[in-house]
Amino acid sequence: MEIGKSLFLAGKPGPAAQTVARVLIVDDEPRIREAYGALLAAEGREILTCANGADAIAQLGSTEIDVMVLDLHLPDMHGTEIMAWMGEAGIDTAVVVFSGDDAIDSAILALRRGACEFIRKHADPEDLIRTVDKAISRRRLERENARMTARLEESERLHRFLVEYSPDIIYTLDPEGRFVFLNRRIESLLGYNRGELVGKHYSVIVHPMDLEQARSAFAERRVGLRATTNQEIRLRCRNLDVRSFENRTIVAMLSSQGIYQQEVEDGDAKRFIGTAGVLRDITERKHAEETISYQTYHDLLTGLPNRVLFRDRLNLAISQARRRGEVVGLMYIDLDRFKLVNDTHGQLEGDELLKGFARRVRECLRAGDTMSRQSGDEFTILLPDIADAEAVRTIAEKITTALKTPFTVGGRDFRCTASIGIAVFPDDAETPDHLLRDADIAMCQVKAQGKNGFLRYTPEMSRNHSERVDLDNELRIAIESGQLTLHYQPQIDIRRGRVTGVEALVRWEHPERGMLGPNTFIPLAEEGGLIFAISDWVLNEACRQQASWIKQGITDLKVAVNISPLEFTRADIVERILQPIRTHQLAPECIEIEITENMLMDDAETVIAKVQELRTHGLRISIDDFGTRFSSLNYLRRFPVNTIKIDQSFVRDLETSGCQSPVISAIVGIARGFGLSVLAEGVETESQIDALRLHGCDVMQGFRFSRPVPPEDIVRYIAAHQAMETT
């Protein structure tokens, strides 16, 4: 494999070749090498690239490299293997690990192998630029030190320089632990004037909480391999009221050993005269390790604990509650209609909604409660040390109330609701897994009942949940094995005395449970993503049946097909509706698409655009369940529909209202005002027929005329109806 050539060289080199800083980018992705090569290019800097570990080792062995930007996962070896080789070969190139690896162990190992920084690929590019600039500056300083060291070889000045300009604090103590000597690094690192520390006890610079462990290291008498090495100590910075020392504590790595008088008489023991030590600043490395550790146990978007940390706290809370006889509450929360936000406004707006949701819910919790993001739009809340189950319900009510205030999504108000499942230890479950499972089942029950609420788990829910899981699996088989069928319910024009259309209603001929209506399995299909396959089948079957009826001479019948609101979240909905119409060579106006009024509440602009496109192709559109969702008349004015269907709940009210219904009158008036047809559904009695006619509604459907029947029965029904007309 060819070693990457010098890709970017900004400016001309100076009089000496060593003034050019060389940066080696090691990454197996060409676009990464090219992009970050351009990003890091600067005057007096040469960018080299390699695509694998072997080429990187070859480049390091043949060329003096100042900084290596290293990906850990290479085609032929792990990045830490390159650093290990560098250590054995004595190559001191600064290493900046720039990797997409989220594993904490790899990051910590890279830092301990000598990497000066660990940066994730999805971090701010400015972080990489700053880190490389800093590393190059440090290398320049090291080169300067090296040149001076060469000139001061074998001289007292050399030794003094090495000590004074060391990047570490170098000190000596007398036998009582008082400073005898400190290099100037103490001034830049801790803010002390070294003169003021000479004669002072070492404890003045040690963090009070670390004094005990520091005592043996600062009073070290041993030498050689037995002496203290790499002991972490926190040091206190002096408060000089300047920005450089706002952080009052640093973390240092301490190595020390005893000092003994060398000139002694023969046979006399060496006399202990103090301790010498080195303090290396590792604050940035510790911060990097802490950052990696934080990211391992927290959700980076919301800052909440992730499922790993939540599970640990749940285990601890249950263990403590079991010992103390206390109660622990758990809530499983799922945002309703979150997919709509992502699909309509994009992931960035969805992320902002998740962050806003997390902030608002946390304000409803106590200080000791834990809210966690499990995944996507699912959250859990741990409520330790509560009085009883009623306390959990109180917090759930508080959350539900807080969510009534709309969020801003895409510059518009969005009312975010949530489905909340509740489980309580020890009443509902006694283990963390079972408690999470039960809360999840309760949340699913809320979803099944219409969302936007909360329920506490009951054993009956498990039975229902198990049955729903079985039904979901069986539904997948049903779609593939042809167990679905369509029944049709006639729509009658009372004034003209004829059948004007039929509504196609899907049924499931279950081999064991018998004939199942759509209310049994359509919600399952929408949850499990099967609704799209069912819709495709229904559309194709309805069009096939319509074509068959036309061949039988029934040419003036329209077929109404219900479309799930989820369908309008897909960009291909128009083409998927048109495809079966074209396949069966139908006139578009003989198919009517029924949509529900609540789609206007979710994303009216997108729905209107797609409906307008359907109308452009000649399809008829009707709004089902009209009057139940409080939609704006402004939307209706812009909505290109043909028919409004009066919901059966208003028709039933006619039995108790003395045949008067202001709602039906209003709906009929609205329809006439907009030039739309009106159809009443759920008609079951003669008195309802009479009342609807008085209100001006002549087209109806319901059990009074016919239940949904197989397609062959529709032919007989139409024939019988026509025979009645002629007599």
PDB file of all heavy atoms in Angstrom, residues 680-709:
ATOM      1  N   ALA A 680     -73.851  10.421   6.431  1.00  0.00           N
ATOM      2  CA  ALA A 680     -73.970  10.072   7.855  1.00  0.00           C
ATOM      3  C   ALA A 680     -73.706   8.583   8.014  1.00  0.00           C
ATOM      4  O   ALA A 680     -74.257   7.757   7.280  1.00  0.00           O
ATOM      5  CB  ALA A 680     -75.361  10.419   8.363  1.00  0.00           C
ATOM      6  N   GLU A 681     -72.849   8.223   8.992  1.00  0.00           N
ATOM      7  CA  GLU A 681     -72.542   6.811   9.219  1.00  0.00           C
ATOM      8  C   GLU A 681     -73.113   6.367  10.564  1.00  0.00           C
ATOM      9  O   GLU A 681     -73.416   7.186  11.429  1.00  0.00           O
ATOM     10  CB  GLU A 681     -71.028   6.576   9.180  1.00  0.00           C
ATOM     11  CG  GLU A 681     -70.229   7.412  10.151  1.00  0.00           C
ATOM     12  CD  GLU A 681     -68.727   7.215  10.005  1.00  0.00           C
ATOM     13  OE1 GLU A 681     -68.333   6.332   9.228  1.00  0.00           O
ATOM     14  OE2 GLU A 681     -67.966   7.943  10.668  1.00  0.00           O
ATOM     15  N   GLY A 682     -73.274   5.064  10.699  1.00  0.00           N
ATOM     16  CA  GLY A 682     -73.796   4.517  11.941  1.00  0.00           C
ATOM     17  C   GLY A 682     -75.303   4.621  12.064  1.00  0.00           C
ATOM     18  O   GLY A 682     -75.839   4.623  13.182  1.00  0.00           O
ATOM     19  N   VAL A 683     -76.037   4.688  10.950  1.00  0.00           N
ATOM     20  CA  VAL A 683     -77.495   4.808  10.980  1.00  0.00           C
ATOM     21  C   VAL A 683     -78.099   3.427  11.276  1.00  0.00           C
ATOM     22  O   VAL A 683     -77.813   2.453  10.570  1.00  0.00           O
ATOM     23  CB  VAL A 683     -78.029   5.342   9.640  1.00  0.00           C
ATOM     24  CG1 VAL A 683     -79.551   5.435   9.677  1.00  0.00           C
ATOM     25  CG2 VAL A 683     -77.410   6.705   9.335  1.00  0.00           C
ATOM     26  N   GLU A 684     -78.940   3.368  12.323  1.00  0.00           N
ATOM     27  CA  GLU A 684     -79.473   2.070  12.750  1.00  0.00           C
ATOM     28  C   GLU A 684     -80.995   2.034  12.845  1.00  0.00           C
ATOM     29  O   GLU A 684     -81.580   0.956  12.952  1.00  0.00           O
ATOM     30  CB  GLU A 684     -78.863   1.681  14.102  1.00  0.00           C
ATOM     31  CG  GLU A 684     -77.355   1.514  14.060  1.00  0.00           C
ATOM     32  CD  GLU A 684     -76.782   1.099  15.412  1.00  0.00           C
ATOM     33  OE1 GLU A 684     -77.547   1.076  16.397  1.00  0.00           O
ATOM     34  OE2 GLU A 684     -75.575   0.797  15.467  1.00  0.00           O
ATOM     35  N   THR A 685     -81.688   3.170  12.824  1.00  0.00           N
ATOM     36  CA  THR A 685     -83.145   3.173  13.026  1.00  0.00           C
ATOM     37  C   THR A 685     -83.818   4.084  12.004  1.00  0.00           C
ATOM     38  O   THR A 685     -83.191   4.978  11.408  1.00  0.00           O
ATOM     39  CB  THR A 685     -83.501   3.662  14.440  1.00  0.00           C
ATOM     40  OG1 THR A 685     -83.136   5.040  14.565  1.00  0.00           O
ATOM     41  CG2 THR A 685     -82.778   2.848  15.510  1.00  0.00           C
ATOM     42  N   GLU A 686     -85.115   3.849  11.835  1.00  0.00           N
ATOM     43  CA  GLU A 686     -85.908   4.685  10.942  1.00  0.00           C
ATOM     44  C   GLU A 686     -85.990   6.115  11.438  1.00  0.00           C
ATOM     45  O   GLU A 686     -85.993   7.069  10.658  1.00  0.00           O
ATOM     46  CB  GLU A 686     -87.322   4.096  10.814  1.00  0.00           C
ATOM     47  CG  GLU A 686     -87.416   2.873   9.933  1.00  0.00           C
ATOM     48  CD  GLU A 686     -87.125   3.162   8.470  1.00  0.00           C
ATOM     49  OE1 GLU A 686     -87.341   4.328   8.046  1.00  0.00           O
ATOM     50  OE2 GLU A 686     -86.659   2.262   7.762  1.00  0.00           O
ATOM     51  N   SER A 687     -86.084   6.268  12.775  1.00  0.00           N
ATOM     52  CA  SER A 687     -86.170   7.629  13.322  1.00  0.00           C
ATOM     53  C   SER A 687     -84.894   8.417  13.022  1.00  0.00           C
ATOM     54  O   SER A 687     -84.948   9.633  12.780  1.00  0.00           O
ATOM     55  CB  SER A 687     -86.418   7.586  14.832  1.00  0.00           C
ATOM     56  OG  SER A 687     -85.344   6.928  15.498  1.00  0.00           O
ATOM     57  N   GLN A 688     -83.754   7.759  13.014  1.00  0.00           N
ATOM     58  CA  GLN A 688     -82.507   8.442  12.656  1.00  0.00           C
ATOM     59  C   GLN A 688     -82.527   8.855  11.187  1.00  0.00           C
ATOM     60  O   GLN A 688     -82.064   9.944  10.832  1.00  0.00           O
ATOM     61  CB  GLN A 688     -81.310   7.523  12.938  1.00  0.00           C
ATOM     62  CG  GLN A 688     -81.045   7.298  14.421  1.00  0.00           C
ATOM     63  CD  GLN A 688     -79.958   6.259  14.666  1.00  0.00           C
ATOM     64  OE1 GLN A 688     -79.588   5.499  13.774  1.00  0.00           O
ATOM     65  NE2 GLN A 688     -79.470   6.201  15.910  1.00  0.00           N
ATOM     66  N   ILE A 689     -83.073   7.978  10.341  1.00  0.00           N
ATOM     67  CA  ILE A 689     -83.176   8.315   8.918  1.00  0.00           C
ATOM     68  C   ILE A 689     -84.039   9.562   8.737  1.00  0.00           C
ATOM     69  O   ILE A 689     -83.673  10.506   8.017  1.00  0.00           O
ATOM     70  CB  ILE A 689     -83.760   7.125   8.124  1.00  0.00           C
ATOM     71  CG1 ILE A 689     -82.790   5.941   8.160  1.00  0.00           C
ATOM     72  CG2 ILE A 689     -84.054   7.540   6.682  1.00  0.00           C
ATOM     73  CD1 ILE A 689     -83.333   4.694   7.493  1.00  0.00           C
ATOM     74  N   ASP A 690     -85.187   9.577   9.397  1.00  0.00           N
ATOM     75  CA  ASP A 690     -86.093  10.722   9.262  1.00  0.00           C
ATOM     76  C   ASP A 690     -85.438  12.004   9.765  1.00  0.00           C
ATOM     77  O   ASP A 690     -85.567  13.075   9.143  1.00  0.00           O
ATOM     78  CB  ASP A 690     -87.383  10.451  10.034  1.00  0.00           C
ATOM     79  CG  ASP A 690     -88.188   9.287   9.437  1.00  0.00           C
ATOM     80  OD1 ASP A 690     -87.985   8.984   8.241  1.00  0.00           O
ATOM     81  OD2 ASP A 690     -89.002   8.687  10.176  1.00  0.00           O
ATOM     82  N   ALA A 691     -84.763  11.907  10.917  1.00  0.00           N
ATOM     83  CA  ALA A 691     -84.130  13.103  11.483  1.00  0.00           C
ATOM     84  C   ALA A 691     -83.021  13.621  10.579  1.00  0.00           C
ATOM     85  O   ALA A 691     -82.879  14.839  10.376  1.00  0.00           O
ATOM     86  CB  ALA A 691     -83.573  12.778  12.868  1.00  0.00           C
ATOM     87  N   LEU A 692     -82.227  12.725  10.008  1.00  0.00           N
ATOM     88  CA  LEU A 692     -81.137  13.141   9.124  1.00  0.00           C
ATOM     89  C   LEU A 692     -81.689  13.810   7.871  1.00  0.00           C
ATOM     90  O   LEU A 692     -81.117  14.798   7.373  1.00  0.00           O
ATOM     91  CB  LEU A 692     -80.266  11.931   8.758  1.00  0.00           C
ATOM     92  CG  LEU A 692     -79.357  11.407   9.881  1.00  0.00           C
ATOM     93  CD1 LEU A 692     -78.782  10.039   9.517  1.00  0.00           C
ATOM     94  CD2 LEU A 692     -78.215  12.395  10.156  1.00  0.00           C
ATOM     95  N   ARG A 693     -82.810  13.289   7.347  1.00  0.00           N
ATOM     96  CA  ARG A 693     -83.403  13.915   6.167  1.00  0.00           C
ATOM     97  C   ARG A 693     -83.905  15.322   6.487  1.00  0.00           C
ATOM     98  O   ARG A 693     -83.797  16.241   5.675  1.00  0.00           O
ATOM     99  CB  ARG A 693     -84.536  13.049   5.634  1.00  0.00           C
ATOM    100  CG  ARG A 693     -84.050  11.686   5.141  1.00  0.00           C
ATOM    101  CD  ARG A 693     -85.163  10.890   4.499  1.00  0.00           C
ATOM    102  NE  ARG A 693     -85.575  11.487   3.224  1.00  0.00           N
ATOM    103  CZ  ARG A 693     -86.453  10.938   2.394  1.00  0.00           C
ATOM    104  NH1 ARG A 693     -87.031   9.782   2.730  1.00  0.00           N
ATOM    105  NH2 ARG A 693     -86.777  11.523   1.266  1.00  0.00           N
ATOM    106  N   LEU A 694     -84.459  15.479   7.702  1.00  0.00           N
ATOM    107  CA  LEU A 694     -84.908  16.807   8.111  1.00  0.00           C
ATOM    108  C   LEU A 694     -83.734  17.787   8.202  1.00  0.00           C
ATOM    109  O   LEU A 694     -83.898  18.993   7.955  1.00  0.00           O
ATOM    110  CB  LEU A 694     -85.628  16.728   9.456  1.00  0.00           C
ATOM    111  CG  LEU A 694     -87.024  16.093   9.440  1.00  0.00           C
ATOM    112  CD1 LEU A 694     -87.546  15.939  10.858  1.00  0.00           C
ATOM    113  CD2 LEU A 694     -87.991  16.933   8.593  1.00  0.00           C
ATOM    114  N   HIS A 695     -82.576  17.279   8.589  1.00  0.00           N
ATOM    115  CA  HIS A 695     -81.380  18.125   8.686  1.00  0.00           C
ATOM    116  C   HIS A 695     -80.720  18.355   7.328  1.00  0.00           C
ATOM    117  O   HIS A 695     -79.730  19.095   7.235  1.00  0.00           O
ATOM    118  CB  HIS A 695     -80.354  17.500   9.637  1.00  0.00           C
ATOM    119  CG  HIS A 695     -80.695  17.668  11.077  1.00  0.00           C
ATOM    120  ND1 HIS A 695     -81.499  16.800  11.764  1.00  0.00           N
ATOM    121  CD2 HIS A 695     -80.352  18.642  11.983  1.00  0.00           C
ATOM    122  CE1 HIS A 695     -81.625  17.191  13.015  1.00  0.00           C
ATOM    123  NE2 HIS A 695     -80.942  18.321  13.184  1.00  0.00           N
ATOM    124  N   GLY A 696     -81.245  17.707   6.286  1.00  0.00           N
ATOM    125  CA  GLY A 696     -80.692  17.922   4.945  1.00  0.00           C
ATOM    126  C   GLY A 696     -79.648  16.924   4.533  1.00  0.00           C
ATOM    127  O   GLY A 696     -78.934  17.144   3.543  1.00  0.00           O
ATOM    128  N   CYS A 697     -79.507  15.799   5.270  1.00  0.00           N
ATOM    129  CA  CYS A 697     -78.520  14.769   4.926  1.00  0.00           C
ATOM    130  C   CYS A 697     -79.261  13.594   4.298  1.00  0.00           C
ATOM    131  O   CYS A 697     -80.088  12.951   4.948  1.00  0.00           O
ATOM    132  CB  CYS A 697     -77.755  14.322   6.165  1.00  0.00           C
ATOM    133  SG  CYS A 697     -76.564  13.008   5.842  1.00  0.00           S
ATOM    134  N   ASP A 698     -78.936  13.285   3.015  1.00  0.00           N
ATOM    135  CA  ASP A 698     -79.661  12.246   2.288  1.00  0.00           C
ATOM    136  C   ASP A 698     -78.846  10.976   2.055  1.00  0.00           C
ATOM    137  O   ASP A 698     -79.411   9.940   1.716  1.00  0.00           O
ATOM    138  CB  ASP A 698     -80.120  12.793   0.925  1.00  0.00           C
ATOM    139  CG  ASP A 698     -81.119  13.936   1.090  1.00  0.00           C
ATOM    140  OD1 ASP A 698     -81.979  13.842   1.979  1.00  0.00           O
ATOM    141  OD2 ASP A 698     -81.008  14.917   0.331  1.00  0.00           O
ATOM    142  N   VAL A 699     -77.498  11.037   2.189  1.00  0.00           N
ATOM    143  CA  VAL A 699     -76.660   9.864   1.943  1.00  0.00           C
ATOM    144  C   VAL A 699     -76.235   9.287   3.285  1.00  0.00           C
ATOM    145  O   VAL A 699     -75.730  10.008   4.153  1.00  0.00           O
ATOM    146  CB  VAL A 699     -75.432  10.220   1.089  1.00  0.00           C
ATOM    147  CG1 VAL A 699     -74.626   8.959   0.773  1.00  0.00           C
ATOM    148  CG2 VAL A 699     -75.851  10.921  -0.193  1.00  0.00           C
ATOM    149  N   MET A 700     -76.473   7.964   3.452  1.00  0.00           N
ATOM    150  CA  MET A 700     -76.255   7.338   4.762  1.00  0.00           C
ATOM    151  C   MET A 700     -75.669   5.939   4.589  1.00  0.00           C
ATOM    152  O   MET A 700     -75.770   5.326   3.528  1.00  0.00           O
ATOM    153  CB  MET A 700     -77.583   7.233   5.534  1.00  0.00           C
ATOM    154  CG  MET A 700     -78.394   8.508   5.575  1.00  0.00           C
ATOM    155  SD  MET A 700     -80.025   8.255   6.300  1.00  0.00           S
ATOM    156  CE  MET A 700     -80.828   9.789   5.826  1.00  0.00           C
ATOM    157  N   GLN A 701     -75.099   5.436   5.688  1.00  0.00           N
ATOM    158  CA  GLN A 701     -74.691   4.044   5.751  1.00  0.00           C
ATOM    159  C   GLN A 701     -74.828   3.591   7.198  1.00  0.00           C
ATOM    160  O   GLN A 701     -74.734   4.400   8.125  1.00  0.00           O
ATOM    161  CB  GLN A 701     -73.260   3.832   5.243  1.00  0.00           C
ATOM    162  CG  GLN A 701     -72.148   4.290   6.179  1.00  0.00           C
ATOM    163  CD  GLN A 701     -70.756   4.039   5.620  1.00  0.00           C
ATOM    164  OE1 GLN A 701     -70.287   4.779   4.764  1.00  0.00           O
ATOM    165  NE2 GLN A 701     -70.117   2.999   6.097  1.00  0.00           N
ATOM    166  N   GLY A 702     -75.045   2.301   7.398  1.00  0.00           N
ATOM    167  CA  GLY A 702     -75.192   1.792   8.751  1.00  0.00           C
ATOM    168  C   GLY A 702     -75.924   0.468   8.747  1.00  0.00           C
ATOM    169  O   GLY A 702     -76.381  -0.036   7.711  1.00  0.00           O
ATOM    170  N   PHE A 703     -76.069  -0.114   9.944  1.00  0.00           N
ATOM    171  CA  PHE A 703     -76.705  -1.425  10.072  1.00  0.00           C
ATOM    172  C   PHE A 703     -78.173  -1.413   9.631  1.00  0.00           C
ATOM    173  O   PHE A 703     -78.740  -2.453   9.305  1.00  0.00           O
ATOM    174  CB  PHE A 703     -76.606  -1.914  11.514  1.00  0.00           C
ATOM    175  CG  PHE A 703     -75.203  -2.313  11.922  1.00  0.00           C
ATOM    176  CD1 PHE A 703     -74.937  -2.725  13.224  1.00  0.00           C
ATOM    177  CD2 PHE A 703     -74.169  -2.279  11.013  1.00  0.00           C
ATOM    178  CE1 PHE A 703     -73.662  -3.095  13.597  1.00  0.00           C
ATOM    179  CE2 PHE A 703     -72.879  -2.647  11.381  1.00  0.00           C
ATOM    180  CZ  PHE A 703     -72.624  -3.048  12.680  1.00  0.00           C
ATOM    181  N   ARG A 704     -78.801  -0.213   9.642  1.00  0.00           N
ATOM    182  CA  ARG A 704     -80.195  -0.157   9.203  1.00  0.00           C
ATOM    183  C   ARG A 704     -80.320  -0.609   7.747  1.00  0.00           C
ATOM    184  O   ARG A 704     -81.349  -1.162   7.335  1.00  0.00           O
ATOM    185  CB  ARG A 704     -80.721   1.273   9.367  1.00  0.00           C
ATOM    186  CG  ARG A 704     -82.117   1.507   8.814  1.00  0.00           C
ATOM    187  CD  ARG A 704     -83.153   0.660   9.552  1.00  0.00           C
ATOM    188  NE  ARG A 704     -84.476   0.787   8.961  1.00  0.00           N
ATOM    189  CZ  ARG A 704     -84.900   0.118   7.889  1.00  0.00           C
ATOM    190  NH1 ARG A 704     -84.091  -0.760   7.275  1.00  0.00           N
ATOM    191  NH2 ARG A 704     -86.109   0.300   7.416  1.00  0.00           N
ATOM    192  N   PHE A 705     -79.297  -0.374   6.982  1.00  0.00           N
ATOM    193  CA  PHE A 705     -79.320  -0.759   5.569  1.00  0.00           C
ATOM    194  C   PHE A 705     -78.603  -2.100   5.355  1.00  0.00           C
ATOM    195  O   PHE A 705     -79.130  -2.998   4.715  1.00  0.00           O
ATOM    196  CB  PHE A 705     -78.663   0.328   4.718  1.00  0.00           C
ATOM    197  CG  PHE A 705     -79.233   1.687   4.964  1.00  0.00           C
ATOM    198  CD1 PHE A 705     -78.540   2.619   5.735  1.00  0.00           C
ATOM    199  CD2 PHE A 705     -80.473   2.045   4.457  1.00  0.00           C
ATOM    200  CE1 PHE A 705     -79.060   3.876   5.965  1.00  0.00           C
ATOM    201  CE2 PHE A 705     -81.004   3.301   4.696  1.00  0.00           C
ATOM    202  CZ  PHE A 705     -80.305   4.223   5.456  1.00  0.00           C
ATOM    203  N   SER A 706     -77.402  -2.213   5.899  1.00  0.00           N
ATOM    204  CA  SER A 706     -76.654  -3.460   5.742  1.00  0.00           C
ATOM    205  C   SER A 706     -75.411  -3.408   6.612  1.00  0.00           C
ATOM    206  O   SER A 706     -74.782  -2.359   6.769  1.00  0.00           O
ATOM    207  CB  SER A 706     -76.245  -3.664   4.279  1.00  0.00           C
ATOM    208  OG  SER A 706     -75.369  -4.774   4.161  1.00  0.00           O
ATOM    209  N   ARG A 707     -75.051  -4.545   7.156  1.00  0.00           N
ATOM    210  CA  ARG A 707     -73.753  -4.680   7.805  1.00  0.00           C
ATOM    211  C   ARG A 707     -72.675  -4.805   6.719  1.00  0.00           C
ATOM    212  O   ARG A 707     -73.011  -5.073   5.548  1.00  0.00           O
ATOM    213  CB  ARG A 707     -73.729  -5.919   8.703  1.00  0.00           C
ATOM    214  CG  ARG A 707     -74.633  -5.804   9.921  1.00  0.00           C
ATOM    215  CD  ARG A 707     -74.594  -7.084  10.741  1.00  0.00           C
ATOM    216  NE  ARG A 707     -75.405  -6.937  11.943  1.00  0.00           N
ATOM    217  CZ  ARG A 707     -74.949  -6.450  13.106  1.00  0.00           C
ATOM    218  NH1 ARG A 707     -73.685  -6.079  13.214  1.00  0.00           N
ATOM    219  NH2 ARG A 707     -75.753  -6.335  14.152  1.00  0.00           N
ATOM    220  N   PRO A 708     -71.406  -4.657   7.054  1.00  0.00           N
ATOM    221  CA  PRO A 708     -70.350  -4.937   6.068  1.00  0.00           C
ATOM    222  C   PRO A 708     -70.443  -6.402   5.623  1.00  0.00           C
ATOM    223  O   PRO A 708     -70.529  -7.304   6.460  1.00  0.00           O
ATOM    224  CB  PRO A 708     -69.058  -4.663   6.834  1.00  0.00           C
ATOM    225  CG  PRO A 708     -69.455  -3.699   7.911  1.00  0.00           C
ATOM    226  CD  PRO A 708     -70.845  -4.105   8.307  1.00  0.00           C
ATOM    227  N   VAL A 709     -70.443  -6.650   4.324  1.00  0.00           N
ATOM    228  CA  VAL A 709     -70.661  -7.996   3.792  1.00  0.00           C
ATOM    229  C   VAL A 709     -69.584  -8.313   2.761  1.00  0.00           C
ATOM    230  O   VAL A 709     -68.927  -7.418   2.217  1.00  0.00           O
ATOM    231  CB  VAL A 709     -72.056  -8.114   3.153  1.00  0.00           C
ATOM    232  CG1 VAL A 709     -73.145  -7.951   4.200  1.00  0.00           C
ATOM    233  CG2 VAL A 709     -72.221  -7.092   2.024  1.00  0.00           C
TER     234      VAL A 709
END
